[in-house]
Amino acid sequence: GVTDVYSNGWAFMALNKNNGTAQCWGASWSGGSCSDLDFEGVTDVVGTKNNEGCGAFVALNKNAGKAQCWGESWCGGACGDVDFAGVTDVYSNEYAFAALNKDTGKVQCWGDSRDGGSCSDLDFDGVTDVYSTSFLFMALNKNTGKAQCWGWSKAVGSCSDLDFAGVTDVYSTGEDFVALNKNTGKALCWPDNTCDSIDFDGLFASDVPTPAPTPAPTPAPTPAPPKSGIAGIIDVYSTYEAFVALNKNTGNAQCWGSSNFGGACGDVNFAGVTDVY
């Protein structure tokens, strides 16, 4: 009867959404014990990011506007002061959670205040998406191209002056973000500008041949070749300190970040690759 399985860095949870029962295992102090909780009506479960800093879970019932938190209280395992009425999405990093109401632009944060657990002084009006590294949150308004970052003191404010206009996707490692505009082949990387030297537009230019037109008497129009840039990139994958961007159409890929974490892939043949793990 299990319908979903979730994890944090320390524990697992197997949930049966049909009857509201769950089993948890792993480190009991970090979310591996939940036998005393009732999960009836739970719609979403979010755990702290799968690193080894701290472990906690949040089980949200969107329909009732209620949630239960368990695990280590200092990184989000206690949420009695959070009002979940109207919450549409819950996000996490390694040490904190953020609950967003997209209809009102209200965000509530809890957990370790040093790493994103405090955000009451920020204005989230118009926020469309929230992303995170291990220590940092980013709230993006795709309609205006503006963003706010909060959490780890080294990186706070490092995205307020960046222009995110046209950004289609945001990805993260444990320490860095990359924001992509797949329509123009442009990318922004921060807090560390690890991709400034990468020519995404040239690197991911399509080399898919243009099909020949259909012979007369009624030839079909020749399909236009895929747009140059990174429009052909299906996805970007990451480890704790490295990224790989893959264009499945061409088999071209680019890796960057720490070579110890997979940031060097010059010897890898990506031709025909459909997924990266």
Side-chain angles (χ1 to χ4, degrees):
V2 169
T3 57
D4 300 274
V5 176
Y6 307 92
S7 66
N8 59 36
W10 296 82
F12 290 96
M13 173 199 183
L15 173 65
N16 184 334
K17 286 185 176 179
N18 297 319
N19 62 17
T21 61
Q23 302 173 80
C24 299
W25 68 100
S28 59
W29 61 89
S30 296
S33 176
C34 63
S35 58
D36 56 335
L37 300 177
D38 180 7
F39 296 102
E40 183 177 358
V42 165
T43 55
D44 302 84
V45 176
V46 178
T48 46
K49 281 207 166 182
N50 286 341
N51 297 313
E52 297 183 357
C54 185
F57 286 106
V58 178
L60 173 66
N61 183 331
K62 289 183 182 179
N63 300 318
K66 297 184 179 300
Q68 298 181 89
C69 301
W70 71 103
E72 295 182 74
S73 60
W74 69 277
C75 64
C79 59
D81 295 332
V82 180
D83 180 9
F84 288 94
V87 167
T88 55
D89 300 274
V90 175
Y91 307 90
S92 70
N93 63 24
E94 195 170 339
Y95 296 96
F97 292 92
L100 169 65
N101 182 330
K102 285 188 176 180
D103 298 326
T104 64
K106 178 182 179 181
V107 176
Q108 300 171 84
C109 303
W110 70 102
D112 187 354
S113 60
R114 299 168 298 179
D115 294 309
S118 177
C119 62
S120 59
D121 57 336
L122 300 177
D123 179 10
F124 295 98
D125 185 42
V127 166
T128 56
D129 299 274
V130 176
Y131 308 93
S132 66
T133 64
S134 287
F135 315 100
L136 183 68
F137 285 105
M138 170 203 177
L140 174 64
N141 183 332
K142 285 186 176 178
N143 299 317
T144 64
K146 301 295 183 182
Q148 298 181 86
C149 294
W150 72 101
W152 187 30
S153 59
K154 176 184 176 182
V156 167
S158 62
C159 70
S160 60
D161 296 330
L162 298 177
D163 181 8
F164 294 96
V167 164
T168 56
D169 299 271
V170 178
Y171 305 91
S172 66
T173 63
E175 298 182 351
D176 294 293
F177 290 102
V178 57
L180 303 181
N181 183 332
K182 292 183 178 180
N183 299 315
T184 64
K186 303 300 182 183
L188 294 169
C189 296
W190 79 99
D192 296 324
N193 296 322
T194 54
C195 66
D196 275 3
S197 61
I198 298 174
D199 177 12
F200 283 99
D201 189 62
L203 188 65
F204 294 101
S206 173
D207 57 9
V208 178
T210 301
T214 303
T218 54
T222 302
K227 181 180 176 65
S228 65
I230 54 179
I233 294 180
I234 303 302
D235 215 339
V236 173
Y237 309 87
S238 65
T239 63
Y240 190 77
E241 291 188 17
F243 290 102
V244 55
L246 172 65
N247 184 328
K248 297 179 184 178
N249 295 336
T250 65
N252 292 333
Q254 175 67 50
C255 300
W256 70 99
S258 171
S259 60
N260 292 329
F261 287 81
C265 61
D267 295 332
V268 180
N269 180 8
F270 288 95
V273 169
T274 57
D275 296 280
V276 177
Y277 304 93

